[in-house]
Structure formats: C-alpha cells, structure tokens
Amino acid sequence: MNQWLDERLHISRLNDKFLRKAFPVHHSFFLGEITLFALIVLIITGILLALSYEPSAQLVKHPFDPGAAQVPAAYASALKINAMPFGDMLRRIHHWMANMMMGAAILHLMRIYFTGAFKKPREINWWIGMLLLIFTALTAVTGYSLPYDNFAFTTLKVIVGIVGSIPWIGEWASQAAFAGKFPGEGLIPRVYGYHIMLLPGILLALTAAHMLIMIKQKHTQPQYAKRVAYKKIVGVPLSTQQTPIMIMLALLFTGLVILFAAFIPVHPVEVIGPPSNQSPIVKPDFYLLWVFGILAILPGNLEFHFLGGVFNAEFLGGIVMPTMILLLMFAVPMFDKSKENLYYAENPTNHPVRLAAGIAFFTLMIVWSVAGYKPELVNSRILTNDNANGILWGLAIVLPIVMYFVTIGIVRGIRKLREADERETHAAAADD
Ligand code: HEM
C-alpha cells in the first residue's frame, strides 16, 4: 500500500520533509497545540450547528409557546436546537470551546513573549499570531451575535455604535459592514456570512502559514536541550511519537471542555429572551471585557470636533485605545535588536525589564477587565457613581507601575540568591 501510494504521490518525500520533524517535549509547547485543537473542534461543532440554525431576523411564531409574541427566526432556531437531543450540549461545547481557544491563545502568546520566542527569526510568526488572535476574537464575537437573543441584540447594537462613531466615515462604514441601518433585515445573514465563511477562511489560511513557518524555522529549543545535546534539535518526531501525545492531549482537553459544558451553561437563550427595547446589562466574553472596561470608565460626555469630524468617547474607547494597545503588541519584536537567531527559549528571570513590562501590561488588562464590571461595582461601599471612574483610572495607572517595580525587585532578589548559591558551590568545590 505504501509503495502504491509512494509511486503516485511521493509520500516518502512528505515523510522526510514534515513527519520526521523533531518536536520538543515541554508542557509550555502544548499551549499552541491546544489552540489548534480548539479550532478543529469549533469547526466540527460549527458545521453541525449550521445544519439547523436559520440565519434570519424575520419574525416567526414562537416554536414552543403558541401564546407568545412572534420572535426572530434565528432566535427560534436556537430554541429548537436546544430542544434537540444533544443540541443544547452542542451549543455549549461550541461556545465554551471559543472561550478556551481565546484563553489558550493568550497563554500561548504569554509563553512566546516571556521566553523571547518572538525574537529573530520568528518575528513574522509573532505578527501572524497577532492576526490570529484578532481574527479569533472577531469570529467569536460574530458567533455570540447569531442566536439573536436580547444579549446578542444589545452586543450588536454596541458594536454597530462603535463602528458608527468613526469620524467622517462612521455611518457609511457601519451600514457597509452590517447591511444597512441597524437592525435591518440583512444584519443576521451578513454576520452569519462573516462567522461561517469569511473569518474561518482567514483563520485557516493564517493557521496554515503559522504552522509552515514554524516547521521551517523550527521551535525554539527548551533549556534542557542545551544540556542534552548542545545546539542540536532535541525532541520526538511527529510520526510516530509526537502524534499519540497530541491525540491524547486533544482528547483530554476536549473531554474537559465537554465536562464544563455539561455542568455550566453558557449563553442560555431561553432565559435571556428575544430582542427587546430594554437593553440588559451585557457582559461580553472575558477576552473583550477590557474594551468594555475602557468604554465604561471614559466619561460619556468626552467629545471634541476636528475638521468637521466628531471624536467621541465611543470612538476613543472602542477604537483608538484598543488599536493603540494592539499596535504596541504588534511592535514587540521591534524592541529587540538581536543580530543572532534565537536558538534556546530564554529564562524569563534573565530578562527582568521584559518580564516586568509584560506583567505590568497584563495587570493593566486585568484592571480594565474588572472595570468592565463597573455597573455592578458601583453599588459597593468603596465605589460610588461619583468616584468610580477616578478610582478605576487611578488603579489602571498605579497598579501596573507597582507591579513593574515589584517584579524588578523580586527578580533582583532571585539573582542575588542564585549568585550566593553559585559562590557557595565554588567555595565548596575549592575546599574539596
Ligand atoms: C490563535 C491561534 C494560534 C494557533 C492555532 C497557534 C498555534 C501554534 C502552534 C501549534 C505552535 C507550535 C507549538 C508551540 O510552540 O506552542 C505555535 C508556535 C508559535 N506561535 Fe502560535 N498559535 C496561535 C496564536 C499565536 C499568537 C497570538 C502568537 C503571538 C502573537 C503566536 C506566535 C507563535 C510563535 C512566535 C511560535 C514559534 C514558537 C517557538 O518556536 O518557540 N501564535 N503556534
């Protein structure tokens, strides 16, 4: 069989080129793989959901309550999917998996950042990775909107408002992106097109480029590889050793997500109800909370005019500040001036400024994400309607600075202990 295939497809060349690649065995390298498994499960569960989902906002009879008012067809189809055997589980697995993919991608990014794996020659894969992160978030948000319940409706209203706030071209851009004035007939079919065709297509193309570059450039080697065989690639080949490890990891991870889905509902459309004029307090999924946080604590009346364009809080908080944060993340490899190619993953504590800057950055993200809960927090004794913005902005500035210096202090302490340890070892060796 092998020979038959080889004569026709030259399989053995493929085997030499890709399947014998050595993969480092280190737990931190599993994060990228988990992100990939999540993408695969999302595509499979998404295809199954698409078989029964109806992308239309046209009003139809409530499928289970003849006395109730009419509801959008998309919402009715989500209710019907819930009532199918395993239907609710399918929706939950799909939604949980989207959260897991974002979580795994963020942890994977942290691993790359803190070990310096973005350095020469892997800058291009850092940039492709950043695009993957952004397009994963966009795919997840468009999916969140599809059940067209009151949460989805309100989230769409917020997003359309943010796009519409772009000076000069906002109204045009929002109508072009969301098929006319909100909420038009074309809205749901348009968002559906983004969610099941355009965005997954982009994600798959970017993932393919990410993997091919990674195979070409090879992984950074974990530190232990230095001791095992200096400047040699240490790892197990994809065929056959790495493949069973990956299959086990994929099954374990998928099993865990199914367990989550079985016990913790996510986006229960029947509880939320169909779109209504009363906007509920919507919380986006965790990876977008920081943007909601910025919007929540920017004064709503912030506004200035320039050359006939209006620059308001929605535009500054929903577009300008997130774009600046993303550009800063894109620029990370440019702060490094290494001439040599990076071979070994670096120990984060050997690069205190990079480590401290990263921790300060994630602290800022966490504070902004907490600020996304402002409506709930202002009822506490410390935060009131009058002081909430001031306190949350104060924390967003002070906490990252504190975390920066605390990290530098801890790393210096670790370095001193290490040096003292080395001195003792040398002294003991000299005594012997
Ligand atoms: C969201 C979808 C993503 C998927 C499916 C994905 C998948 C992977 C996989 C499977 C690997 C090899 C295993 C590993 O090193 O962990 C890898 C490596 C890599 N990824 Fe990603 N990744 C994604 C996002 C990102 C992001 C957000 C970044 C950074 C901005 C990034 C930057 C890199 C780099 C630089 C490498 C090479 C690492 C090395 O050689 O040590 N990736 N990715």
Side-chain angles (χ1 to χ4, degrees):
M1 180 67 177
N2 264 359
Q3 197 189 344
W4 190 89
L5 279 178
D6 207 29
E7 281 167 11
R8 282 152 188 86
L9 301 170
H10 307 293
I11 299 280
S12 55
R13 243 191 272 163
L14 184 78
N15 184 52
D16 297 342
K17 209 165 167 49
F18 294 112
L19 302 183
R20 300 299 300 162
K21 288 273 172 215
F23 273 67
V25 184
H26 190 273
H27 51 270
S28 69
F29 288 81
F30 291 156
L31 292 166
E33 290 173 22
I34 289 178
T35 317
L36 193 59
F37 304 146
L39 178 62
I40 295 168
V41 178
L42 279 165
I43 292 174
I44 298 170
T45 48
I47 291 174
L48 293 175
L49 285 170
L51 298 178
S52 306
Y53 172 77
E54 203 178 326
S56 160
Q58 265 185 357
L59 291 178
V60 296
K61 263 201 251 156
H62 192 291
F64 303 113
D65 185 356
Q70 289 192 314
V71 291
Y75 177 77
S77 71
L79 289 179
K80 283 191 214 158
I81 293 174
N82 275 1
M84 287 176 184
F86 206 66
D88 191 15
M89 268 300 277
L90 201 59
R91 283 195 49 239
R92 289 186 195 189
I93 294 171
H94 193 70
H95 199 146
W96 265 116
M97 210 37 112
N99 277 312
M100 292 288 174
M101 179 166 173
M102 277 306 293
I106 292 168
L107 291 177
H108 170 60
L109 175 146
M110 287 165 109
R111 193 281 280 175
I112 307 286
Y113 174 81
F114 287 120
T115 62
F118 56 82
K119 287 185 178 179
K120 188 181 168 202
R122 298 182 182 79
E123 304 95 321
I124 302 172
N125 240 4
W126 172 270
W127 293 321
I128 294 182
M130 278 301 300
L131 291 177
L132 274 168
L133 194 67
I134 294 169
F135 281 105
T136 306
L138 288 177
T139 315
V141 160
T142 48
Y144 188 99
S145 313
L146 290 180
Y148 213 46
D149 57 344
N150 211 13
F151 268 24
F153 180 75
T154 312
T155 308
L156 275 169
K157 204 192 300 180
V158 173
I159 295 172
V160 172
I162 290 175
V163 177
S165 72
I166 303 174
W168 304 292
I169 56 158
E171 187 54 33
W172 171 84
S174 105
Q175 293 206 26
F178 298 104
K181 272 206 177 309
F182 181 83
E185 284 274 299
L187 176 68
I188 284 293
R190 177 64 60 87
V191 176
Y192 186 60
Y194 292 153
H195 185 70
I196 70 153
M197 280 188 287
L198 183 67
L199 295 169
I202 294 175
L203 275 183
L204 286 176
L206 288 172
T207 306
H210 199 59
M211 294 297 95
L212 286 175
I213 293 176
M214 194 267 300
I215 289 170
K216 170 91 190 113
Q217 298 182 328
K218 301 187 179 60
H219 283 88
T220 46
Q221 290 290 298
Q223 285 287 327
Y224 73 77
K226 216 186 249 181
R227 293 188 294 276
V228 177
Y230 186 66
K231 284 273 167 163
K232 294 248 161 58
I233 305 282
V234 177
V236 295
L238 187 59
S239 170
T240 55
Q241 286 88 330
Q242 173 72 8
T243 310
I245 299 180
M246 285 168 87
I247 294 175
M248 277 193 291
L249 187 66
L251 290 178
L252 191 71
F253 168 65
T254 313
L256 251 161
V257 175
I258 293 178
L259 206 66
F260 261 60
F263 290 103
I264 315 173
V266 59
H267 212 137
V269 278
E270 64 287 355
V271 179
I272 300 166
S276 81
N277 289 335
Q278 272 177 349
S279 300
I281 297 177
V282 169
K283 288 283 163 289
D285 284 339
F286 79 96
Y287 46 85
L288 278 188
L289 264 177
W290 64 281
V291 181
F292 264 60
I294 300 176
L295 284 169
I297 59 179
L298 268 185
N301 56 5
L302 186 71
E303 185 177 304
F304 62 91
H305 297 245
F306 179 68
L307 292 179
V310 182
F311 293 70
N312 59 16
E314 242 175 331
F315 175 63
L316 298 172
I319 293 187
V320 176
M321 290 182 68
T323 306
M324 279 163 51
I325 291 288
L326 292 174
L327 286 178
L328 179 70
M329 291 170 77
F330 266 104
V332 161
M334 293 172 187
F335 294 115
D336 180 66
K337 296 277 169 274
S338 310
K339 297 257 182 313
E340 297 276 304
N341 282 356
L342 182 86
Y343 200 83
Y344 290 104
E346 294 168 339
N347 181 342
T349 53
N350 288 344
H351 299 266
V353 172
R354 183 177 74 208
L355 177 66
I359 289 182
F361 178 82
F362 287 109
T363 307
L364 174 65
M365 287 295 164
I366 292 172
V367 176
W368 274 340
S369 299
V370 171
Y373 281 92
K374 186 183 132 184
E376 286 85 347
L377 295 175
V378 285
N379 295 327
S380 70
R381 250 187 248 147
I382 302 167
L383 286 193
T384 64
N385 251 331
D386 296 331
N387 69 13
N389 286 1
I391 291 186
L392 288 166
W393 274 119
L395 287 177
I397 294 166
V398 172
L399 269 187
I401 297 176
V402 169
M403 288 307 285
Y404 181 89
F405 287 108
V406 168
T407 310
I408 298 269
I410 293 176
V411 172
R412 284 212 182 120
I414 293 176
R415 199 177 273 178
K416 274 199 188 126
L417 285 176
R418 234 189 250 155
E419 282 166 5
D421 213 30
E422 271 164 25
R423 270 198 303 275
E424 261 177 38
T425 319
H426 283 308
D431 283 350
D432 287 345

